Amino acid sequence: LHCFSSPPLLDDALANGWYVSFAGNVTYRNAYDLRDCARQVPSERLLVETDSPYLAAQAVRGRRNEPAFVVHTYDVLSELRGEDVRTLADANATRAFGLP
């Protein structure tokens, strides 16, 4: 699910084996439901958005989002999930691009 923003759909998405992709809005201070969802998605089904031009992470909020800002979303997601940011990012790239 591109730019996941509908917590009520999470159970169905996971039951169907879909990937769930989060954008910068998961970093917003009041995004409690999205943050909870991000904790629940298995690592192998989690993706992080690079192409949501109007959903820049909190650290750069107010600017047009660009792929380079994905590091801010990864930082928050890794903290939420208690995972190493590099491990999470590497696993994401490996899955998304079929890297060895």
Side-chain angles (χ1 to χ4, degrees):
L1 293 172
H2 172 69
C3 194
F4 183 77
S5 60
S6 185
L9 295 178
L10 184 64
D11 289 338
D12 287 337
L14 296 178
N16 283 301
W18 298 342
Y19 286 90
V20 180
S21 185
F22 292 91
N25 57 335
V26 74
T27 70
Y28 299 169
R29 293 182 189 110
N30 64 348
Y32 305 110
D33 290 345
L34 279 182
R35 289 171 177 240
D36 185 49
C37 289
R39 288 182 192 97
Q40 295 177 53
V41 176
S43 294
E44 66 274 7
R45 304 250 293 287
L46 180 98
L47 295 173
V48 182
E49 295 285 335
T50 60
D51 63 344
S52 298
Y54 304 107
L55 293 175
Q58 183 67 42
V60 289
R61 197 164 180 186
R63 296 173 62 183
R64 181 176 168 86
N65 199 22
E66 59 183 68
F69 296 158
V70 74
V71 296
H72 302 294
T73 306
Y74 270 113
D75 285 341
V76 170
L77 285 171
S78 67
E79 183 178 322
L80 287 173
R81 297 169 58 84
E83 297 179 38
D84 175 71
V85 69
R86 175 54 87 186
T87 302
L88 181 63
D90 286 350
N92 241 237
T94 299
R95 278 190 308 280
F97 299 109
L99 301 174

